[in-house]
Amino acid sequence: MRISDSIVYVGVFDRDIDLFEGQYQVPTGVSYNSYIIFDEKIAVMDTVDSRKTQEWLANVEAALNGKAPDYLVVQHLEPDHSGSIQALADKYPAMRLIMTAKALTMLPQFVDASLSARAQGVKENETLSLGSHTLKFITAPLVHWPEVMLSYEESEKVLFSADAFGTFGDPEKEDWLPEARRYYFNIVGKYGSPVTTLLKKAGTLDIQTILPLHGPALKENLGFYLGKYQVWSSYAPEEKGTLVAFGSLHGNTAGAAKFLAEQLKAAGETVSVLDLARDDMALAVAEAFRFDKLVLACSTYDGNFFPKMEDFLLHLKAKAFQKRKVALIENGSWAPMAAKGMKAYLEQMKDITILDTVVTIKSTVSEANREQLKALAKELMA
Ligand SMILES: Cc1cc2nc3c(=O)[nH]c(=O)nc-3n(C[C@H](O)[C@H](O)[C@H](O)COP(=O)(O)O)c2cc1C
Ligand SMILES: [Fe+2]
Ligand SMILES: [Fe+2]
């Protein structure tokens, strides 16, 4: 696939992987993107996961058509991108490796120590001329590892954006937003401040194309993607709406959650209802960040609360969840404790407003509970 006359896509699509980074469901697969820039000098931009080394090398060879690359630009050392560095370096012994100073220190963890002699560090805004193309390097520490850099190609105004602006799924097919949101909050979400810093740097560049390391090349309407990253990295809600997330042993709490969701929908609210025991945890995290309101409905369990809910709150805390309005529904048959347990987690997060009204259910949802849930919906929407 050609990005332009001089830039060729040589990435691979991994449709068989069960879990990305050992935990994220990717039902539509994930791509490891890689590109080659052809000029007087030839630069390969990143490699791919070792799961796909052979397929990628075949793509690279076909694109090179007998030529040898002068440079491999290593923007990120995480194994999904560094997994084939050794294989490429072995094949092309004259090729130099370009990366940040931080990446130089980490390189021997991923390849033979002898490769370091062929690697050179670059600084912020340093450039590498390939002929009519010039790469300018922009460090992006913690987006999403400390050694990351992005590369801006000045003549074609292309930003090679490393993991930023990436998404799961087939790069040819995916509807960017839902999977990009799930990818962002679960993989990069904790690093809002480094992403904001990066966006400020990107703001000084005239960008016409963004080439991320996962998902489609972004060529049109770039303001849309940059705008989403601006909102997401600031932790501000993306839209008005409510995620109702429940953990229910015998189904009564689930019923209460769905009843509340109906009340909210009737009042015009956009609502997403997720079962924390069955639905994807990464989707629940993304939906929590998407909306301005969150409802947690949970059964009491062994004097504490349903472990899947605790897991969800641990995930939210780890991703710096903040700036949201939260309502609580609890259920218990003899000594309901879930609200207290959930509150203890929420109080460790920044700028979380917990509604004073807590709906407490004793085993089954009573008529009085239904009235309380209706009132809770009104209070949440107020
Ligand atoms: C393994 C287990 C442990 C429970 N522990 C408690 C408890 O410590 N305190 C309590 O009030 N209820 C406890 N319950 C009762 C549940 O909280 C109650 O069945 C549940 O809240 C009802 O809502 P549900 O149908 O949505 O699960 C326990 C139930 C089970 C199955
Ligand atoms: Fe990464
Ligand atoms: Fe990645």
Side-chain angles (χ1 to χ4, degrees):
M1 185 175 51
R2 275 197 175 273
I3 302 293
S4 69
D5 286 346
S6 308
I7 303 175
V8 178
Y9 179 76
V10 289
V12 290
F13 179 48
D14 189 348
R15 74 179 75 239
D16 342 301
I17 189 168
D18 63 336
L19 294 174
F20 181 70
E21 286 187 2
Q23 60 172 323
Y24 303 113
Q25 292 175 28
V26 281
T28 54
V30 63
S31 66
Y32 314 119
N33 296 344
S34 166
Y35 310 87
I36 304 183
I37 307 173
F38 287 89
D39 203 317
E40 288 161 29
K41 301 279 184 192
I42 297 174
V44 177
M45 305 301 289
D46 293 296
T47 81
V48 303
D49 196 282
S50 59
R51 291 167 52 82
K52 297 285 172 189
T53 301
Q54 292 313 318
E55 187 184 333
W56 174 72
L57 280 178
N59 289 353
V60 170
E61 262 177 67
L64 287 171
N65 197 16
K67 295 184 182 131
D70 299 277
Y71 302 107
L72 169 64
V73 176
V74 177
Q75 300 190 113
H76 185 13
L77 276 174
E78 198 172 3
D80 53 336
H81 309 296
S82 66
S84 308
I85 292 177
Q86 188 70 51
L88 191 74
D90 289 346
K91 207 164 162 46
Y92 300 105
M95 182 185 74
R96 304 278 304 165
L97 280 62
I98 309 291
M99 61 193 74
T100 60
K102 181 70 184 172
L104 278 182
T105 68
M106 293 166 66
L107 184 67
Q109 297 168 28
F110 301 96
V111 295
D112 292 349
S114 60
L115 255 194
S116 294
R118 289 165 55 189
Q120 65 195 66
V122 286
K123 293 198 184 73
E124 176 80 343
N125 290 328
E126 196 171 326
T127 56
L128 176 72
S129 171
L130 303 174
S132 66
H133 290 76
T134 301
L135 288 171
K136 180 160 107 170
F137 302 109
I138 299 148
T139 59
L142 296 179
V143 187
H144 101 269
W145 276 18
E147 85 298 359
V148 171
M149 68 176 185
L150 280 60
S151 313
Y152 176 68
E153 200 294 300
E154 294 176 339
S155 70
E156 298 196 45
K157 306 186 194 313
V158 172
L159 181 67
F160 294 87
S161 65
D163 272 341
F165 303 101
T167 183
F168 302 125
D170 184 340
E172 310 258 344
K173 289 188 194 138
E174 209 56 32
D175 167 20
W176 187 83
L177 184 58
E179 283 295 79
R181 184 192 294 119
R182 196 168 69 92
Y183 169 98
Y184 175 85
F185 283 111
N186 288 280
I187 292 175
V188 198
K190 182 177 162 57
Y191 305 111
S193 158
V195 173
T196 304
T197 304
L198 173 63
L199 290 172
K200 277 192 195 130
K201 294 184 192 177
T204 65
L205 304 170
D206 177 9
I207 302 168
Q208 274 173 15
T209 305
I210 298 178
L211 299 180
L213 287 176
H214 305 281
L218 307 175
K219 293 181 168 173
E220 273 151 39
N221 203 9
L222 296 188
F224 170 79
Y225 305 104
L226 289 160
K228 288 294 174 195
Y229 261 59
Q230 223 112 37
V231 172
W232 293 344
S233 63
S234 73
Y235 298 100
E238 185 183 335
E239 47 180 296
K240 182 182 161 301
T242 302
L243 167 64
V244 181
F246 66 83
S248 175
L249 297 158
H250 295 294
N252 296 289
T253 312
K258 288 170 191 166
F259 180 81
L260 178 82
E262 289 314 312
Q263 308 309 307
L264 292 169
K265 280 183 203 160
E269 181 79 333
T270 303
V271 185
S272 174
V273 182
L274 293 175
D275 177 348
L276 294 173
R278 293 185 176 82
D279 291 317
D280 173 31
M281 181 59 72
L283 176 65
V285 168
E287 292 290 86
F289 276 102
R290 177 181 166 197
F291 295 125
D292 62 339
K293 304 176 211 78
L294 172 66
V295 177
L296 302 177
C298 190
S299 304
T300 301
Y301 180 84
D302 292 346
N304 204 335
F305 64 109
F306 196 55
K308 299 277 184 185
M309 177 63 80
E310 188 162 8
D311 193 26
F312 180 47
L313 287 164
L314 279 171
H315 274 81
L316 289 181
K317 197 177 136 210
K319 301 302 172 190
F321 187 70
Q322 53 185 274
K323 300 182 186 168
R324 301 295 192 278
K325 198 196 252 192
V326 182
L328 300 175
I329 301 169
E330 66 175 349
N331 197 343
S333 294
W334 57 94
M337 291 290 286
K340 185 169 174 244
M342 292 188 286
K343 248 185 208 161
Y345 276 90
L346 291 164
E347 279 163 6
Q348 296 170 45
M349 301 174 198
K350 252 199 330 193
D351 275 341
I352 298 289
T353 308
I354 308 172
L355 295 196
D356 290 334
T357 310
V358 171
V359 175
T360 298
I361 300 161
K362 298 292 272 302
S363 301
T364 53
V365 181
S366 66
E367 205 38 59
N369 286 150
R370 262 184 270 279
E371 293 310 313
Q372 290 161 349
L373 290 165
K374 283 182 190 166
L376 189 69
K378 282 208 181 95
E379 193 179 338
L380 201 57
M381 297 286 285

